[in-house]
Amino acid sequence: MAATGVGAGDLVATTVAGERYGYTLLWAAVLGCLIKISLAEAAGRWHLATGTTLFEGWRTLGPWTTVYFAGYVAVWGFVYGSVAMSASGLPLAALFPDGPDYRVWGVLCALLGLACVWCNRYAVIERVMTVLVGVMFVVTVGLAIRVTPDLGGLGAGLLPTFPDGSLVYTLGLMGGVGGSITLAAYGYWVTAKGWRGPRWIPVMRWDNRVAYAMTGVFVIAMLIVGAELLRAADVALASGDRGLLDVGEVLEERFGALTAKVFLLGFFATSFSSLLGVWHGVSLLFADFTARLRAARGAGDGGAAAREPERSRPFRAYLLWLTFPPMLLLYQDEPVALTLAYGVIGALFMPFLAVTLLWLLNGPRTPRAWRSGLVSNVMLVGATALFVFLSVREIQDLPW
């Protein structure tokens, strides 16, 4: 979950934060990890405490959740597929400049992800992700050590402050670290792992904390790179994932070609792990979505999508949706209508997740012993307020 949630966009955002504000916003990145811990813990606790899936819980809140989720997975998957391909292809194109351009590399990465998820189940995907996490960890932490962090500045950065004009940027950094829909997928991965029933909740909680401790390490490492490498060199990154290519160029100038290539390898591991995790995790969500619709129409228990989701037709259909239609977007600009739909639906997902988890885990659907306590509720309420604010800002900033 952590490897899927931390993509190239998170690395760019935290590197830019370091480049603009030094260590000042370190506290915001750390708090963002704590917020995501609370959301993921809530999703995992729902699955284990109730024995039902998150989508089953959403359906009990009314048909509006089904309508929203159907629109979300259709539009989001189409656009995210092209974003994931681009992010995975960029570092490979930089590593092999005499080879094909980044779009061809992106298509190859998507096909590799498709083949890996199509032919394997959770246990194999977990092993592959473990290797990618290892590469990410070694590269990012090694790079942070290489640029020589200011430990005093790091300590001072844990004190909450807002530099002039940084409020919205700070809140965006806080809310953007560590994934969105992959938080909802966590409960499905818990089930795929074989953890079932309330007795696994303590294990799940430690799993979740360790995951986001790793996320915090990645985030802090890239913030150090921004503060020590880019801020000192007065380098402003390009927008989007291409900004990480600028980091590679600065590293090559300062430390040589080998360090730059190692960084690009870490960039690829970060991007491809997100692609692989989404291809698997969100397809599980879609398979469950389909199974519950079938059950609601009286078509049995949802068929293979409920009993063996990784081999079901809905799971594989969504895999194909993530892989092939988005290839068209790699070779053309996104249509304005699609951009608007993606912006609106995507902006609403995190408030939707936070509100529904708060609702489900404080009501009669959850056994009393596993309902949210004070700390969980404070974090979920805070997350709701943060994401509602950010969603309003994001919708306002769309090119209407």
Side-chain angles (χ1 to χ4, degrees):
M1 178 186 62
T4 304
V6 177
D10 296 282
L11 298 190
V12 171
T14 50
T15 305
V16 169
E19 177 257 317
R20 290 184 182 178
Y21 302 108
Y23 296 112
T24 307
L25 298 184
L26 175 63
W27 67 271
V30 172
L31 184 55
C33 290
L34 295 176
I35 289 172
K36 297 301 173 68
I37 285 176
S38 67
L39 288 168
E41 186 275 341
R45 177 156 43 95
W46 168 265
H47 277 251
L48 294 174
T50 65
T52 59
T53 66
L54 186 55
F55 189 75
E56 286 181 89
W58 285 339
R59 281 187 58 81
T60 66
L61 302 180
W64 66 274
T65 59
T66 301
V67 172
Y68 171 74
F69 187 77
Y72 179 82
V73 293
V75 176
W76 183 89
F78 185 41
V79 178
Y80 178 82
S82 67
V83 172
M85 293 178 209
S86 175
S88 298
L90 283 170
L92 292 176
L95 279 167
F96 304 102
D98 296 329
D101 74 1
Y102 77 95
R103 290 171 294 191
V104 175
W105 283 115
V107 168
L108 292 175
C109 288
L111 294 175
L112 178 60
L114 172 67
C116 185
V117 176
W118 188 288
C119 298
N120 298 291
R121 300 195 186 189
Y122 174 83
V124 175
I125 305 299
E126 185 184 55
R127 293 189 193 103
V128 175
M129 295 286 277
T130 301
V131 173
L132 294 171
V133 168
V135 174
M136 292 165 58
F137 187 86
V138 170
V139 171
T140 55
V141 174
L143 186 59
I145 294 171
R146 187 77 187 271
V147 300
T148 314
D150 175 7
L151 298 181
L154 271 176
L158 293 173
L159 298 175
T161 56
F162 291 92
D164 291 342
S166 69
L167 176 60
V168 175
Y169 182 87
T170 303
L171 295 178
L173 176 66
M174 194 184 306
V177 172
S180 56
I181 193 172
T182 52
L183 294 161
Y186 181 52
Y188 294 87
W189 281 323
V190 164
T191 301
K193 179 75 173 175
W195 299 351
R196 290 178 173 84
R199 68 191 181 91
W200 284 100
I201 289 178
V203 177
M204 177 275 296
R205 285 172 168 164
W206 276 108
D207 176 65
N208 182 38
R209 292 165 189 165
V210 171
Y212 275 99
M214 294 285 284
T215 298
V217 170
F218 296 142
V219 166
I220 292 169
M222 292 309 296
L223 191 139
I224 289 171
V225 171
E228 298 294 344
L229 187 70
L230 303 182
R231 189 174 175 84
D234 195 23
V235 173
L237 297 186
S239 61
D241 299 338
R242 291 181 180 273
L244 292 179
L245 299 182
D246 293 341
V247 176
E249 292 176 3
V250 176
L251 285 170
E252 184 169 1
E253 291 176 5
R254 181 166 172 182
F255 298 114
L258 179 60
T259 299
K261 290 184 181 300
V262 170
F263 170 73
L264 290 172
L265 180 63
F267 177 3
F268 169 73
T270 301
S271 300
F272 188 66
S273 65
S274 293
L275 183 152
L276 193 61
V278 166
W279 263 229
H280 186 266
V282 183
S283 296
L284 283 176
L285 263 168
F286 183 77
D288 184 50
F289 166 73
T290 305
R292 302 311 153 196
L293 289 184
R294 282 175 54 84
R297 292 199 303 265
D301 62 354
R307 296 189 299 273
E308 197 175 16
E310 292 166 296
R311 292 291 180 265
S312 67
R313 289 181 180 177
F315 181 89
R316 290 179 166 175
Y318 197 73
L319 267 179
L320 296 175
W321 177 252
L322 283 167
T323 304
F324 290 104
M327 291 178 184
L328 300 174
L329 292 182
L330 278 177
Y331 292 90
Q332 64 182 19
D333 293 331
E334 293 178 17
V336 173
L338 182 61
T339 302
L340 291 175
Y342 178 74
V344 172
I345 293 176
L348 294 175
F349 182 77
M350 290 307 290
F352 168 80
L353 179 62
V355 167
T356 55
L357 285 172
L358 192 64
W359 193 344
L360 290 170
L361 290 167
N362 284 283
R365 303 169 186 85
T366 304
R368 184 174 297 277
W370 298 110
R371 291 178 191 171
S372 291
L374 177 61
V375 173
S376 177
N377 280 327
V378 167
M379 294 298 290
L380 289 174
V381 169
T384 300
L386 171 65
F387 292 123
V388 166
F389 174 81
L390 291 176
S391 66
V392 171
R393 291 286 306 195
E394 190 170 340
I395 293 171
Q396 288 176 341
D397 291 342
L398 288 172
W400 299 101

